[in-house]
């Protein structure tokens, strides 16, 4: 097995979650051609994977983890479970996947009241989990362009920031015939998130409005022009993002009993992938138990929470979003909601009502939690703060017990969201955010003297004055 490319090939097809229609993968589809319903990719051969036992699969994946090839290093370690129609030459690797889980230290876990770890998906190449999905979607695009002999493929996406950063990165790596265009809501992405696609050489178009507006324009374009859409409507992205679930399972040696996974929900692609990933592992006997999944939403963008709160009435209504520090999840009409509904039902049938829940948190709790985590050695983004806020809320609501172990998805790197940290430290949030600085979490650089003072001193005086100033400030004792 080692070092050889897997022999297994799947027969992937698009499966409409609304009418059940199956469509071939030789063309790009984002919605069902029959009923415009939502699609997921399904492997018609999946049952053939059951010829191996769960233990044999665990062994294959564990051995692959040590391989010095693309199969060992990134998301394609789980090739058979994701996109087993791609050839070796199509697979892309930019360092995505295989991200660490970092356990909270004693002080932090005691403060929260439970042992937990951060899954640091900010340690992906464009610093968010979106790279998992893009590695898979772009590998497929590459294979499609090759098969069809296309001389130009324009890839397009709407974004709250990270999707475009990832799409632009992968497009620039592959090069022609791929070209990347990204649509961003003007003034609604951080400086870092804007810098990323610009640096990758993508065409960046800013539109007034919020993400949901940009998404409608992208849908119009993909309906009327030949473009490849890279939002999570693209089911190939979901497949790649399933790798997050596979990695969590492998990290815990495939033993899932007592584990709870917290995932921030925006467009709901990530939670779709996490649910589907664990369901596949379970179907093959690779894991015996399904971990419990908690989706987390801000009160300023919470359509999925509202649906599950009032499930009995079973109507889904988009919400108008309000300003959110969890900007990457600030989405009022999540494209993948129909996928979540189907998968969550399946999940609950197997693991009980409490195996999938959605929690609502405040903007204040998101910021406070992010800063608290990062003061204890983590690198959580605001959405990672949202995950921790969700864990605290779940504890307060007694939805989780202290004997369980939580894995919090930090979906991006904190540096992308440094601007929110700054606004907090300066207590300068616009009122619509509803975030006030708590002094115990505030930090700011200390300034001891000015440039003009420095100019009046010799170098020797400068060192002495600065040294004494610092010692005084810190209360250092002389030795
Ligand atoms: C995209 C994104 C989310 C939301 O994920 P969905 O798949 O849209 O639900 C959360 N956090 C970060 C950092 C993101 O980039
Ligand atoms: Zn359909």
């Amino acid at each position: 097995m080692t070092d050889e490319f897997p022999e297994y090939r799947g027969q992937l097809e698009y499966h409409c979650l609304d009418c059940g229609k199956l469509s071939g993968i030789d063309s790009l589809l984002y919605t069902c051609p029959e009923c415009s319903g939502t699609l997921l990719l399904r492997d018609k051969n999946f049952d053939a994977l059951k010829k191996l036992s769960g233990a044999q699969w665990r062994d294959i994946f564990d051995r692959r983890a040590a391989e010095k090839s693309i199969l060992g290093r990134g998301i394609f370690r789980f090739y058979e479970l994701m996109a087993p129609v791609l050839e070796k030459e199509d697979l892309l690797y930019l360092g995505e996947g295989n991200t660490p889980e970092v356990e909270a230290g004693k002080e932090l876990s005691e403060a929260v009241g439970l042992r937990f770890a951060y899954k640091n998906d900010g340690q992906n190449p464009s610093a968010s989990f979106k790279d998992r999905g893009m590695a898979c979607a772009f590998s497929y695009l590459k294979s499609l362009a090759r098969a069809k002999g296309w001389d130009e493929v324009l890839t397009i996406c709407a974004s709250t920031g990270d999707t475009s950063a990832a799409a632009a990165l992968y497009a620039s790596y592959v090069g022609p015939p791929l070209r990347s265009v990204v649509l961003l809501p003007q003034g609604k992405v951080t400086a870092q998130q804007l810098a990323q696609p610009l640096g990758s050489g993508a065409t960046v178009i800013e539109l007034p409005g919020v993400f949901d507006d940009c998404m409608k324009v992208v849908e119009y374009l993909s309906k009327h022009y030949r473009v490849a859409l890279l939002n999570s409507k693209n089911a190939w992205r979901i497949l790649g993002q399933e790798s997050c679930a596979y990695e969590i399972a492998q990290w815990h040696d495939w033993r899932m009993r007592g584990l709870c996974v917290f995932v921030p929900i925006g467009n709901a692609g990530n939670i779709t992938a996490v649910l589907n990933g664990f369901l596949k592992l379970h179907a093959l006997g690779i894991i015996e138990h399904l971990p419990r999944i908690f989706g987390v939403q801000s009160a300023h963008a919470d359509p999925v929470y509202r649906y599950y709160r009032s499930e009995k009435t079973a109507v889904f209504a988009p919400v108008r979003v309000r300003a959110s520090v969890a900007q990457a999840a600030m989405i009022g009409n999540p494209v993948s909601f129909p996928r979540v509904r189907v998968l969550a039902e399946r999940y609950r049938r197997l693991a009980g009502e409490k195996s999938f829940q959605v929690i609502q948190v405040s903007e204040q709790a998101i910021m406070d939690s992010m800063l608290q985590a990062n003061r204890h050695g983590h690198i959580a983004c605001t959405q990672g703060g949202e995950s921790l806020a969700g864990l605290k809320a779940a504890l307060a609501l007694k939805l989780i017990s202290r004997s369980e172990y939580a894995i919090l998805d930090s979906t991006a790197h904190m540096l992308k969201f440094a601007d929110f940290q700054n606004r907090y430290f300066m207590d300068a949030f616009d009122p619509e955010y509803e975030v006030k600085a708590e002094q115990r979490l505030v930090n700011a650089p200390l300034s001891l003297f000015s440039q003009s003072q420095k100019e009046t001193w010799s170098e020797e005086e400068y060192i002495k004055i600065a040294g004494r100033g610092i010692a005084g400030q810190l209360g250092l004792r002389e030795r």
Side-chain angles (χ1 to χ4, degrees):
M1 276 281 171
T2 50
D3 263 9
E4 270 165 35
F5 201 70
E7 260 166 47
Y8 174 80
R9 287 297 176 278
Q11 282 187 49
L12 293 197
E13 44 193 11
Y14 292 107
H15 173 225
C16 172
L17 297 181
D18 290 334
C19 76
K21 183 182 164 64
L22 299 170
S23 310
I25 57 165
D26 50 347
S27 61
L28 289 166
L29 287 182
Y30 312 110
T31 51
C32 173
E34 195 78 29
C35 76
S36 303
T38 316
L39 302 174
L40 272 181
L41 283 156
R42 197 161 76 168
D43 182 358
K44 213 156 76 178
N45 276 357
F46 187 77
D47 280 347
L49 298 173
K50 293 179 181 163
K51 284 194 200 121
L52 296 186
S53 69
Q56 285 171 310
W57 280 117
R58 290 195 292 269
D59 197 46
I60 288 173
F61 295 138
D62 284 348
R63 268 187 292 151
R64 237 179 237 167
E67 272 180 35
K68 294 171 185 64
S69 73
I70 198 168
L71 290 178
R73 292 187 166 125
I75 64 169
F76 291 107
R77 181 185 299 166
F78 308 98
Y79 176 86
E80 290 89 342
L81 306 183
M82 287 194 310
V85 291
L86 301 173
E87 298 305 323
K88 193 174 180 178
E89 62 188 298
D90 297 320
L91 300 190
L92 288 166
Y93 176 69
L94 271 67
E96 64 287 323
N98 210 4
T99 59
E101 266 181 39
V102 177
E103 192 167 302
K106 194 159 174 286
E107 190 178 281
L108 180 59
S109 56
E110 280 178 7
V112 172
L114 176 112
R115 282 179 62 209
F116 69 94
Y118 264 113
K119 170 85 171 156
N120 276 350
D121 256 12
Q123 290 180 252
N124 276 299
S126 80
S128 89
F129 77 84
K130 298 293 199 301
D131 295 327
R132 299 177 178 278
M134 291 300 170
C136 183
F138 273 89
S139 296
Y140 165 68
L141 267 183
K142 217 176 126 193
S143 77
L144 199 63
R146 183 167 51 79
K148 304 239 176 185
W150 286 341
D151 53 9
E152 187 180 60
V153 187
L154 193 65
T155 68
I156 188 161
C157 65
S159 176
T160 53
D162 295 329
T163 301
S164 47
L169 180 70
Y170 284 81
S172 69
Y173 183 86
V174 176
L178 300 193
R179 250 181 355 119
S180 173
V181 179
V182 307
L183 267 56
L184 297 171
Q186 204 156 33
K188 301 268 179 354
V189 306
T190 69
Q192 295 81 350
Q193 290 169 326
L194 180 59
Q196 288 185 292
L198 288 173
S200 297
T203 303
V204 177
I205 299 170
E206 295 184 304
L207 291 174
V210 293
F211 169 82
D212 295 299
D213 300 312
C214 292
M215 192 63 217
K216 284 176 200 148
V217 176
V218 164
E219 277 168 1
Y220 177 88
L221 287 169
S222 71
K223 199 162 151 193
H224 295 281
Y225 300 91
R226 212 185 78 184
V227 294
L229 185 152
L230 280 162
N231 283 94
S232 51
K233 216 167 198 186
N234 181 330
W236 295 90
R237 271 195 46 204
I238 304 291
L239 283 182
Q241 288 170 201
E242 286 171 9
S243 59
C244 183
Y246 307 146
E247 288 175 13
I248 290 173
Q250 188 168 34
W251 189 276
H252 292 273
D253 206 15
W254 315 103
R255 285 189 281 259
M256 299 285 99
R257 201 200 277 275
L259 292 191
C260 297
V261 183
F262 286 74
V263 183
I265 301 180
N267 226 359
N270 197 22
I271 191 134
T272 295
V274 167
L275 286 168
N276 211 33
F278 283 121
L279 283 169
K280 282 188 193 171
L281 293 178
H282 189 258
L284 295 175
I286 298 171
I287 57 173
E288 207 178 315
H289 300 101
L290 287 167
R292 298 207 294 144
I293 310 291
F294 290 84
V296 189
Q297 292 209 295
S298 159
H300 286 192
D302 60 356
V304 182
Y305 166 76
R306 283 165 190 261
Y307 174 82
Y308 282 99
R309 188 185 57 179
S310 62
E311 225 171 325
K312 306 279 180 298
T313 53
V315 278
F316 177 76
V319 303
R320 188 192 289 272
V321 295
R322 289 179 283 154
S324 175
V325 296
Q327 197 176 48
M330 197 179 122
I331 294 174
N333 190 15
V335 161
S336 286
F337 177 72
R339 292 167 169 156
V340 175
R341 184 159 48 191
V342 168
L343 294 173
E345 199 185 310
R346 203 174 297 162
Y347 211 90
R348 283 174 164 178
R349 262 204 312 275
L350 288 165
E353 278 300 298
K354 301 210 162 109
S355 64
F356 173 79
Q357 300 177 77
V358 182
I359 291 192
Q360 185 207 49
V361 296
S362 71
E363 290 289 314
Q364 184 74 47
I366 294 172
M367 277 310 294
D368 293 347
S369 299
M370 177 189 88
L371 295 170
Q372 182 189 19
N374 294 349
R375 291 176 80 103
H376 289 88
H378 296 279
I379 49 171
C381 62
T382 47
Q383 296 65 221
E386 188 174 12
S387 295
L388 178 53
L391 169 59
K392 293 176 189 168
L395 272 167
L397 293 165
K398 300 206 179 341
L399 299 177
I400 181 170
S401 82
R402 290 179 195 280
S403 61
E404 289 176 280
Y405 186 94
I407 296 147
L408 311 182
D409 197 348
S410 177
T411 45
H413 198 289
M414 61 87 67
L415 286 175
K416 284 205 190 213
F417 297 87
D419 181 47
F420 289 109
Q421 176 180 289
N422 280 342
R423 274 189 249 180
Y424 190 100
F425 289 170
M426 296 165 74
D427 202 6
F429 273 106
D430 285 343
E432 51 180 354
Y433 282 96
E434 301 181 299
V435 177
K436 285 265 159 245
E438 266 196 52
Q439 278 315 307
R440 71 185 166 94
L441 293 171
V442 167
N443 203 0
L446 299 172
S447 190
L448 296 181
F449 42 76
S450 66
Q451 177 69 27
S452 57
Q453 277 176 298
K454 175 176 184 284
E455 277 158 17
T456 64
W457 301 324
S458 70
E459 182 167 341
E460 212 174 312
E461 284 170 326
Y462 165 72
I463 294 169
K464 206 168 180 181
I465 293 170
R468 288 190 179 158
I470 292 169
Q473 189 69 238
L474 299 178
L476 298 184
R477 270 179 299 184
E478 277 182 50
R479 52 183 212 165

